Amino acid sequence: NQMNGFYNQGAVPRESSAYITRKFEADAFNEVVAGRWVLLLGPRQHGKTSGLVRLADRCRESGFLTATIDLQALA
């Protein structure tokens, strides 16, 4: 899944310098803190999973309980 620092499948690892922070991460975190639900939609290969991994980390660091459920296998 990785070739010369480029990731073409799945989440970019947390420790990778290849990851670029996206605005939606801060926006989604602020919504969660405000007690609102967040629905993350977007085209393939645009960083949704990578951002979600980091969002979950930030939520846990802030004292929120998190869970990840992958329903792709049911499709």
Side-chain angles (χ1 to χ4, degrees):
N1 294 358
Q2 178 196 13
M3 179 191 299
N4 298 326
F6 177 77
Y7 295 87
N8 62 357
Q9 252 182 358
V12 176
R14 288 172 177 89
E15 66 280 356
S16 174
S17 62
Y19 185 72
I20 298 169
T21 302
R22 290 158 177 85
K23 183 179 181 307
F24 81 81
E25 294 171 48
D27 293 344
F29 180 76
N30 291 335
E31 293 297 315
V32 169
V33 169
R36 294 187 283 268
W37 286 83
V38 176
L39 177 62
L40 183 58
L41 299 173
R44 294 182 70 242
Q45 300 293 310
H46 277 241
K48 296 177 305 294
T49 301
S50 297
L52 184 61
V53 166
R54 285 152 180 85
L55 176 62
D57 287 346
R58 186 170 176 193
C59 286
R60 280 191 297 276
E61 290 165 2
S62 297
F64 290 94
L65 297 176
T66 67
T68 302
I69 301 170
D70 184 353
L71 301 176
Q72 284 185 321
L74 299 177

